[in-house]
């Protein structure tokens, strides 16, 4: 019978800070998922105070370019010396120290890739993640390289951070620290049981065990240090629940009955000490599973966050706004603006030679066409959900209130994600734009309150108006999603004349035009029973058909969010 698992330990911010300060480059970093505030800033300052003398701590500013990050030519020094003078980048300045990444959930993918490539064994990092929903999270490449993860509760619910004594001696012990083979085997066993198949977390857990032993004054890392490492490094990375020891015993085949006489089989060997230690380390990791992760694993949803969640929105290159991209050779024009500093940096090393070749040149700096550098800007693509709501008499009787509630719920989510929502209603003889693409909550509420209901159903006009708005959003570099809420009862054609047959044909033609333009769409059938014509229309539109005869506002909002994330 295995021993009782230890009580769930608190992920102490003080312990994490002390361990990380012993070996920042070896332990990779700390992922702090918490909003801006004194608790988070106090933790960062506490880590700064624990670092050894001379260790640098640098912040990565938003929109940093490759020259400042990786280093390059010092323009002023090169112009003064008439030769190329190189300047160290931010990564070189942080060597052996810590790099702080504010708003880590919004870092550009290319920047995350460069940081991950340069981080291995050179510096540690503190990623300050302010993401609210699961779709906003730290890059998996960076999260995989960070030993520890803390959240707002870990920073707020602990005792005040205090100065740790003996860090200098602990760093000296860490250089000569040994680790028993059984400790390494136990951590590998725990990682496999938790569904962690990357070697990097196991290596980080071993380094954490060595740091814990050094901090405690021991000369070698033992079982107690492995348990702490499993709790701090491996538990929050779990992708499956480990089977309890009792379950393993129940599933094992029963041994055959002992034979009588001299030919009796020898008894099965007892569990080795190494296996017992591995079970105790696994129990410690199981007890440290975060509650939200434990709930997700029990539901079989797997792990979200670092390796899951919604993918980041694609980006569009523009010439006027957005995150600046790296400079490259080229001619400035309407699409690419002149990168002045990079142009001068390219021209600086050649000034002495050009002065000798052109002694009569009037300018102080001789710039040639080959020196020109241009820079583009990158703007994130917004998702625009265009609601086309059937406000006719048949639909408004049951579904107009639910549509209003769904728009308000989705708009609150879009406000967090910086996405937009538009609303148009069709009734009587045409469609009316009630809310242009916006993320303003107050404006949306006023427009929704004024949404009328009653009259005939000009379904084709509603689809045409939504299609025109979607094409306009696409031309502006956004990603549209057409959400059509209707009961399928079309009775007004494009010519604004009544007639069900003509109205149905016009609605099919409008849906076919949406499919030809490649507009992603979701058709929500709001009829009391699923409508055959609405399902046919969804097929023509190449839209996802969702019959929701008994859906409320929250069900509609969940369906639309799922379609946006697809």
């Amino acid at each position: 019978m295995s021993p009782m698992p230890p009580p769930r330990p608190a992920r102490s911010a003080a312990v994490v800070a002390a361990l990380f300060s012993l070996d920042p480059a070896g332990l990779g970093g700390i992922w702090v998922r918490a909003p801006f505030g004194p608790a988070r800033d106090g933790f960062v300052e506490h880590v700064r105070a624990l670092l050894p003398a001379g260790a640098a701590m640098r912040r990565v500013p938003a929109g940093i370019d490759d020259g400042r990050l990786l280093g390059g030519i010092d323009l002023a020094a090169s112009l003064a010396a008439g030769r190329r003078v190189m300047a160290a980048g931010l990564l070189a300045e942080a060597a052996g120290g810590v790099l702080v990444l504010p708003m880590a959930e919004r870092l550009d993918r290319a920047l995350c890739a460069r940081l991950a490539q340069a981080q291995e064994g050179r510096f540690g990092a503190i990623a300050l993640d302010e993401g609210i929903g699961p779709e906003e999270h730290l890059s998996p490449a960076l999260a995989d390289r960070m030993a520890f993860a803390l959240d707002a509760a870990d920073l707020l619910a602990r005792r005040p951070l205090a100065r740790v004594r003996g860090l200098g001696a602990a760093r000296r012990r860490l250089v000569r620290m040994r680790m028993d083979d059984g400790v390494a085997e136990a951590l590998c066993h725990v990682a496999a049981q938790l569904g962690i198949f990357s070697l990097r977390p196991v290596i980080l857990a071993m380094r954490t065990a060595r740091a814990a032993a050094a901090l405690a004054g021991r000369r070698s890392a033992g079982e107690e240090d492995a348990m702490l490492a499993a709790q701090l490094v491996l538990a929050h990375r779990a992708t499956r629940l480990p089977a309890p020891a009792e379950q393993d015993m129940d599933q094992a085949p029963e041994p055959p009955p002992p034979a009588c006489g001299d030919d009796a089989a020898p008894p099965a060997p007892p569990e080795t000490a190494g296996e017992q230690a591995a079970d105790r380390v696994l129990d410690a990791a199981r007890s440290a599973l975060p509650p939200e992760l434990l709930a997700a694993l029990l539901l079989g949803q797997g792990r979200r966050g670092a390796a899951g969640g919604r993918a980041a929105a694609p980006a569009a290159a523009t010439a006027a706004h957005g995150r600046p991209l790296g400079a490259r050779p080229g001619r400035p024009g309407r699409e690419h603006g002149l990168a002045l500093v990079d142009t001068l940096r390219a021209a600086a090393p050649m000034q002495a030679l050009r002065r000798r070749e052109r002694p009569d040149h009037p300018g102080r700096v001789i710039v040639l066409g080959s020196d020109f550098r241009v820079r583009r800007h990158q703007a994130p693509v917004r998702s625009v959900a265009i609601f086309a709501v059937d406000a006719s008499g048949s639909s408004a009787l049951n579904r107009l209130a639910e549509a209003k509630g769904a728009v308000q719920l989705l708009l609150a989510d879009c406000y967090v994600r910086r996405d937009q929502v538009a609303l148009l209603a069709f009734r009587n003889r045409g469609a009316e734009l009630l809310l242009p693409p916006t993320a303003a909550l107050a404006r949306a509420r006023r427009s929704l309150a004024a949404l009328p209901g009653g009259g005939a159903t000009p379904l084709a006009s509603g689809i045409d108006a939504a299609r025109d708005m979607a094409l306009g959003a696409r031309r502006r570099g956004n990603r549209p999603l057409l959400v059509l809420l209707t009961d399928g009862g079309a009775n007004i054609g494009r010519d604004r004349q009544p007639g069900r047959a003509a109205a149905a044909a016009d609605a099919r033609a409008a849906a076919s035009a949406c499919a030809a333009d490649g507009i992603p769409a979701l058709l929500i059938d709001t009829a009391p029973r699923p409508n055959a014509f609405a399902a046919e229309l969804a097929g023509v539109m190449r839209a996802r058909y969702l019959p929701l005869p008994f859906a409320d506002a929250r069900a509609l909002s969940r369906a639309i969010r799922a379609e946006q994330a697809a």
Side-chain angles (χ1 to χ4, degrees):
M1 182 175 179
S2 63
M4 292 294 293
R8 170 176 166 78
R11 290 183 295 180
S12 172
V15 173
V16 168
L19 293 174
F20 177 67
S21 66
L22 290 182
D23 186 15
L27 295 176
I30 309 173
W31 178 9
V32 182
R33 189 171 175 87
F36 174 81
R40 195 187 72 177
D41 292 346
F43 175 76
V44 175
E45 291 302 319
H46 179 67
V47 173
R48 183 197 298 271
L50 297 181
L51 292 176
M57 178 177 281
R58 298 286 187 269
R59 282 183 174 262
V60 177
I64 187 172
D65 59 7
D66 289 345
R68 179 68 184 101
L69 181 70
L70 305 176
I73 299 175
D74 189 329
L75 179 60
S78 298
L79 291 175
R83 57 181 177 83
R84 181 178 300 180
V85 179
M86 304 302 293
L90 199 62
L91 298 183
E93 295 175 2
V98 177
L99 209 61
V100 180
L101 310 176
M103 299 184 69
E105 78 283 0
R106 297 184 179 276
L107 290 179
D108 179 69
R109 291 182 178 180
L111 176 60
C112 291
R114 287 190 286 271
L115 290 174
Q117 184 179 12
Q119 184 182 359
E120 298 285 357
R122 294 182 57 190
F123 56 84
I126 300 179
L128 305 180
D129 185 349
E130 301 178 13
I132 299 177
E135 69 280 354
E136 292 184 325
H137 53 76
L138 181 65
S139 164
L142 289 177
D144 192 45
R145 288 165 168 79
M146 297 190 177
F148 310 111
L150 299 174
D151 55 24
D154 298 321
L155 301 181
L156 294 174
R158 311 294 176 235
R159 60 186 179 183
L161 300 174
R163 183 74 180 180
V164 181
R165 297 181 179 179
L167 287 178
R171 292 189 184 96
R172 292 189 292 271
R173 282 191 295 269
L174 183 60
V175 177
R176 302 183 299 272
M177 181 60 58
R178 301 188 305 272
M179 175 179 290
D180 299 336
D181 293 340
V183 173
E185 293 176 1
L187 290 174
C188 292
H189 172 73
V190 171
Q193 289 293 316
L194 295 176
I196 304 171
F197 300 108
S198 172
L199 290 177
R200 188 172 284 112
V202 179
I203 295 174
L204 293 175
M206 293 179 183
R207 290 175 175 172
T208 301
R210 295 174 67 249
L215 193 62
R218 291 185 282 271
R219 294 184 178 181
S220 63
E223 179 182 332
E224 181 180 354
D225 306 309
M227 294 173 65
L228 179 62
Q231 293 166 351
L232 295 179
V233 181
L234 299 180
H236 68 275
R237 289 179 159 92
T239 62
R240 69 185 184 193
L241 285 175
E246 290 80 0
Q247 180 178 344
D248 294 340
M249 294 174 61
D250 295 339
Q251 292 179 353
E254 295 184 1
C260 298
D262 297 336
D263 297 333
E271 189 177 17
T272 64
E275 293 173 345
Q276 295 177 357
D279 290 340
R280 287 191 290 269
V281 176
L282 179 60
D283 289 337
R286 185 188 293 114
S287 69
L289 291 174
E292 66 279 0
L293 176 59
L294 181 60
L297 294 177
L298 288 174
L299 292 175
Q301 296 175 353
R303 179 172 177 264
R304 297 178 65 90
R310 180 183 171 194
T318 64
H321 65 280
R323 185 190 301 274
L325 298 175
R328 65 181 186 184
R331 288 284 182 176
R334 295 182 58 185
E335 296 183 358
H336 309 299
L338 175 66
L340 180 59
V341 175
D342 295 282
T343 300
L344 295 177
R345 185 179 289 119
M350 307 300 296
Q351 293 306 302
L353 178 61
R354 293 174 184 176
R355 284 292 179 192
R356 290 194 296 268
E357 294 177 349
R358 303 182 184 184
D360 298 332
H361 192 279
R364 299 183 60 183
V365 180
I366 303 176
V367 180
L368 303 182
S370 59
D371 299 327
F372 282 128
R373 298 294 186 270
V374 295
R375 189 191 303 275
R376 294 184 302 169
H377 290 75
Q378 178 177 293
V381 177
R382 288 182 176 179
S383 177
V384 181
I386 302 171
F387 283 82
V389 181
D390 185 351
S392 62
S394 60
S395 182
L397 180 63
N398 297 318
R399 291 338 226 169
L400 199 54
E402 283 81 355
K404 291 181 180 181
V407 175
Q408 290 205 33
L409 289 174
L410 183 62
L411 186 63
D413 295 336
C414 291
Y415 181 78
V416 175
R417 297 195 304 263
R418 277 69 171 175
D419 292 341
Q420 293 182 335
V421 168
L423 175 65
L424 57 89
F426 53 94
R427 57 189 287 269
N428 287 333
R429 294 293 188 269
E432 178 185 4
L433 177 63
L434 299 179
L435 182 67
T438 183
L441 294 175
R443 184 179 180 186
R445 291 192 182 98
R446 290 194 299 267
S447 299
L448 291 171
L451 178 60
T457 308
L459 184 54
S461 299
I463 298 176
D464 287 337
R467 170 175 169 266
D468 292 340
M469 183 177 293
L471 293 177
R474 180 181 291 175
R475 285 191 296 269
R476 291 189 293 272
N478 297 326
R479 181 178 56 195
L481 171 65
L482 196 160
V483 183
L484 178 61
L485 292 90
T486 181
D487 59 359
N491 53 21
I492 298 293
R494 282 173 166 170
D495 57 359
R496 300 193 175 186
Q497 298 301 318
R500 291 190 177 276
D506 289 344
R508 292 188 188 94
S512 179
C514 289
D517 292 327
I519 300 174
L522 172 67
L523 193 150
I524 299 178
D525 186 355
T526 60
R529 293 185 179 87
N531 187 293
F533 178 71
E536 176 190 352
L537 201 65
V540 175
M541 192 183 294
R542 298 178 185 172
R544 180 184 175 190
Y545 174 67
L546 196 62
L548 296 176
F550 305 106
D552 57 6
R554 293 188 179 275
L556 293 177
S557 178
R558 286 195 299 269
I560 294 166
R561 286 200 301 268
E563 188 67 20
Q564 283 184 315

